[in-house]
Amino acid sequence: MEMVTLMLLAGTVIVCLVIYALIKGYDARVTLIGAGILMACIGGAPMSPLNAFAKSMTNSGLIQAVCSVMGFAMAVRYTGCDKHLINAMASVISKVRFFLIPGVVIGTYLVNIALPSAAGTAAAAGAIFIPLLMASGVGPALAAAAVKCGTYGSMLNPGLAHNPFVAKIAGVDVMDVIAFDYKANIASLIVATICITVIAHVLKEDKGHVPEHLQIEKGFKVNPLYALMPVVPIVILLLGSTQLVPMFKMGVPQAMIIGTLLTLVVTRTGPKAIGDAFFDGMGSAYGKIIGIIISAGVFVSGLTVIGLVKFFIDAMLNNPAIIKICAALGPFLLGLLTGSGDAATFAFNEAITPHAADFGMTSVQMGTMATLGGTLGRTMSPVAGATIICAGIAGINPMEITKRNAIPMFCALAVGMFILAF
């Protein structure tokens, strides 16, 4: 019993050090892998995390979905189709003054559905929407916060790594996961949009703040076909999954390939160039996204060997009322502190979500709660890549964005979790 206690204590200390390292900005992959191996060695099973590493490397469902989506995203970025989509939205929003701030939040959200990278969306949408808002009199901090507020639309993208991850755990199709969480996600967006619009009015940052010498790209000619390309795969998948067009029932990789081929035809880009962009995107996805999933698997293996997972599960089994709070607040707080909801969410879903039935929940329910919590925490975080990008475009301190997004994200979390829990 004493040895077990010492192991649990050692595991707790290591976990605290991991959290500290992530807050300090150390590489999440190296930190998680190192901690997982160390805990496994203390627990007397040093090969366990290495076996978990090898197993995660060939997780076909995740690799197919995530890599193909990021390959497509890189292809539409290379061809400039993402720019046409954003300018098309900007031209519409700018004509409706009262809808400007909520329109930018929703517009960014829609872009993030098609382009699932929060940082990529912040760069692409922020470059258009932030100057547009500032030129319309919105304060720089509020303009940046409005864009950042919409960078969690990726939860409705079937290629977002968390969606196929939860689907695999639950043994369902990835679109079933999205069908379960879309109401909570959209409700949280509506609440966040209302909150940030009210905050803009209360702080008097919704008008009268036009900076001098602001340059906005004018005369950009939007090609409607180009603007449609980034959303083609999502439309195909949604039409197929809802049986509106049965012939469109297909997997994520197939839809992404079709979208890439249509982009090739519409833009008349050289096949080699767009092929290089697609495969560069796939490679980047494996290193940056799948790499975190692999690392989280190693970390969880260490937690399991040292006994913390069993201790945590037993504690929640004895106190089932706290599980919903843990699923929501755990990933949210780590996402806020580290700027990435991925590591915390993957670790939680791999360790706890398979046991969801023991707590009176489904795996899809628990998994989506953790995903939404981590995503909203990252959306509020001052150290997230997307926050820093938006702040750079607006010329402000990233903390100014967090100050304005705090209330909207907490309210979004409360509403989203209430819908998912009940």
Side-chain angles (χ1 to χ4, degrees):
M1 180 62 69
E2 185 176 340
M3 180 59 69
V4 172
T5 302
L6 289 174
M7 288 173 59
L8 290 174
L9 180 60
T12 302
V13 171
I14 292 172
V15 170
C16 291
L17 291 174
V18 166
I19 294 173
Y20 175 79
L22 292 176
I23 293 173
K24 296 296 290 184
Y26 290 95
D27 184 83
R29 292 165 296 184
V30 174
T31 301
L32 291 172
I33 290 175
I37 292 175
L38 177 58
M39 286 188 289
C41 289
I42 294 174
M47 288 301 296
S48 179
L50 303 184
N51 293 335
F53 185 99
K55 181 180 179 181
S56 299
M57 285 179 66
T58 56
N59 193 326
S60 60
L62 291 175
I63 293 171
Q64 289 175 9
V66 175
C67 290
S68 62
V69 166
M70 295 311 295
F72 173 72
M74 189 65 74
V76 297
R77 186 178 306 162
Y78 176 82
T79 57
C81 289
D82 57 342
K83 191 174 183 179
H84 284 267
L85 172 63
I86 292 165
N87 276 275
M89 289 182 173
S91 65
V92 174
I93 292 172
S94 63
K95 296 176 183 177
V96 190
R97 182 68 183 81
F98 73 92
F99 190 64
L100 203 53
I101 292 173
V104 164
V105 176
I106 295 170
T108 304
Y109 183 91
L110 294 175
V111 171
N112 197 209
I113 294 177
L115 305 174
S117 165
T121 297
I128 301 297
F129 290 151
I130 292 175
L132 173 65
L133 285 175
M134 291 170 65
S136 300
V138 177
L142 203 289
V147 170
K148 188 61 172 65
C149 191
T151 56
Y152 68 98
S154 57
M155 276 197 67
L156 298 186
N157 188 310
L160 178 71
H162 299 288
N163 289 328
F165 192 71
V166 172
K168 188 176 188 308
I169 292 173
V172 299
D173 186 79
V174 66
M175 293 307 297
D176 292 330
V177 175
I178 293 175
F180 178 83
D181 72 26
Y182 81 94
K183 291 181 182 178
N185 202 269
I186 292 175
S188 70
L189 171 70
I190 292 172
V191 170
T193 302
I194 293 172
C195 286
I196 199 166
T197 303
V198 171
I199 288 171
H201 182 71
V202 171
L203 296 178
K204 302 186 186 304
E205 293 185 358
D206 55 343
K207 56 185 177 180
H209 295 269
V210 181
E212 296 181 5
H213 312 300
L214 179 64
Q215 298 295 322
I216 300 179
E217 184 178 359
K218 295 181 179 180
F220 185 90
K221 188 175 181 180
V222 175
N223 184 317
L225 285 178
Y226 281 35
L228 285 174
M229 288 303 102
V231 300
V232 164
I234 306 301
V235 172
I236 290 174
L237 289 167
L238 292 176
L239 291 177
S241 65
T242 56
Q243 296 298 312
L244 292 175
V245 184
M247 66 177 293
F248 284 174
K249 181 68 175 177
M250 63 183 70
V252 174
Q254 291 86 340
M256 296 302 153
I257 291 294
I258 291 173
T260 303
L261 292 175
L262 286 175
T263 301
L264 170 66
V265 173
V266 168
T267 62
R268 297 187 294 277
T269 305
K272 182 181 185 304
I274 202 169
D276 287 344
F278 184 87
F279 286 106
D280 283 347
M282 288 184 64
S284 176
Y286 194 95
K288 294 181 179 179
I289 299 176
I290 300 297
I292 293 179
I293 298 174
I294 294 172
S295 304
V298 173
F299 180 67
V300 169
S301 175
L303 289 174
T304 302
V305 170
I306 210 167
L308 277 177
V309 172
K310 185 177 186 303
F311 176 80
F312 187 37
I313 293 174
D314 289 344
M316 287 190 293
L317 280 171
N318 294 326
N319 300 278
I322 69 170
I323 183 60
K324 293 180 181 179
I325 297 175
C326 292
L329 289 182
F332 176 83
L333 292 175
L334 278 179
L336 171 62
L337 293 172
T338 67
S340 171
D342 288 346
T345 304
F346 281 129
F348 181 92
N349 279 336
E350 181 149 352
I352 307 300
T353 298
H355 306 278
D358 295 333
F359 309 109
M361 301 172 68
T362 67
S363 296
V364 173
Q365 182 184 20
M366 181 178 286
T368 53
M369 288 178 71
T371 302
L372 181 60
T375 302
L376 291 175
R378 182 260 302 154
T379 304
M380 180 179 161
S381 173
V383 295
T387 304
I388 294 169
I389 290 171
C390 289
I393 294 173
I396 59 170
N397 187 303
M399 276 303 299
E400 296 302 315
I401 296 177
T402 296
K403 290 177 183 177
R404 288 157 181 80
N405 270 346
I407 293 176
M409 289 304 105
F410 276 120
C411 291
L413 180 71
V415 170
M417 292 306 162
F418 178 82
I419 293 175
L420 289 176
F422 302 101

